[in-house]
Amino acid sequence: MRARLVRSVPPPGPRRALTGAAAAALLVLTGCGTDKSSGDFEPQGAASNGNPATDPTQQAAPPTMSRQQIDKLVLQRYREYQRVYKRVYQANDPAPLNAVVTEPLLSSITKDVEAMAAKNEIWRFTNIFNPRVQSRSQDGTAVNVIDCVRTLAAYRYSTKTGKRLGGGPGDAVAYLTTLKYDAGTWKVADSKRGNSC
């Protein structure tokens, strides 16, 4: 993955290729094209039943929660990640990422935002999401979310002049996003770009 993304419209996450079973499952579920690569994501396991904590940002360990509770919380955190991602690119300030993103994705997005700031440019965009939980790790501490992200419009602006520098209508792209349970909360650890959907 490149440190700085080259694109006409910003994605909802760094552009990475989907691999293996994740691509196959993603493409079947979203109605996208095919992918012939082999990979490493496989649906497996489920968390055991239990009671959820009341604060969605500080949860008990995933095994103490039911599968439905984890799915609901993970999708909330995914949507929060998308809100923060948009804010970060509009302000060229990667600081808010720490609350919703972990490594290796954190460094990648931070470098891209810093590169945009160095060019005195920002992105403004509007995306529509329809995420679903696709799979989880055996121990329940990593959950994969699939989404066909539709970018309605995305424009790049100069922070010096305010002039629009490029962009336009977007497209719909499939993404596989991995959220991991990290220090008492769910954070996005990886996001892979698939085909149009």
Side-chain angles (χ1 to χ4, degrees), residues 1-7 14-15 108 112:
M1 174 170 180
R2 293 173 284 179
R4 186 175 62 81
L5 306 175
V6 178
R7 60 190 182 271
R15 295 177 185 240
S108 179
D112 190 50

Side-chain angles (χ1 to χ4, degrees), residues 31 39 42 130 137:
E42 295 180 13
N130 186 26
S137 66

Side-chain angles (χ1 to χ4, degrees), residues 101-189:
V101 183
T102 189
E103 296 300 341
L105 191 57
L106 180 60
S107 294
S108 179
I109 297 174
T110 299
K111 288 177 186 174
D112 190 50
V113 171
E114 289 170 348
M116 292 294 295
K119 294 189 315 186
N120 297 305
E121 296 176 356
I122 60 169
W123 278 103
R124 290 189 177 144
F125 50 91
T126 301
N127 293 328
I128 297 176
F129 308 102
N130 186 26
R132 295 187 305 269
V133 171
Q134 186 257 345
S135 63
R136 66 192 71 246
S137 66
Q138 186 69 34
D139 64 0
T141 60
V143 176
N144 296 315
V145 172
I146 57 172
D147 198 353
C148 180
V149 178
R150 176 170 297 280
T151 300
L152 299 180
Y155 293 98
R156 188 168 40 93
Y157 292 89
S158 167
T159 58
K160 287 185 173 182
T161 66
K163 288 180 68 174
R164 190 163 60 190
L165 304 174
D171 56 2
V173 176
Y175 280 87
L176 177 72
T177 302
T178 301
L179 288 92
K180 291 188 177 177
Y181 190 72
D182 179 48
T185 190
W186 290 93
K187 293 185 179 182
V188 174

Side-chain angles (χ1 to χ4, degrees), residues 33-116:
T34 62
D35 186 297
K36 298 179 182 174
S37 63
S38 63
D40 54 4
F41 281 106
E42 295 180 13
Q44 42 179 310
S48 61
N49 289 331
N51 296 323
T54 56
D55 182 358
T57 62
Q58 295 296 321
Q59 292 293 328
T64 66
M65 300 174 67
S66 73
R67 184 177 184 146
Q68 293 78 17
Q69 291 165 335
I70 291 173
D71 289 356
K72 181 179 179 181
L73 181 60
V74 164
L75 292 175
Q76 288 172 349
R77 294 297 288 168
Y78 171 82
R79 288 184 180 98
E80 179 62 17
Y81 156 72
Q82 295 292 359
R83 283 189 289 274
V84 170
Y85 182 87
K86 180 178 181 177
R87 233 178 16 243
V88 161
Y89 273 94
Q90 289 176 342
N92 276 348
D93 178 13
L97 289 171
N98 290 318
V100 293
V101 183
T102 189
E103 296 300 341
L105 191 57
L106 180 60
S107 294
S108 179
I109 297 174
T110 299
K111 288 177 186 174
D112 190 50
V113 171
E114 289 170 348
M116 292 294 295

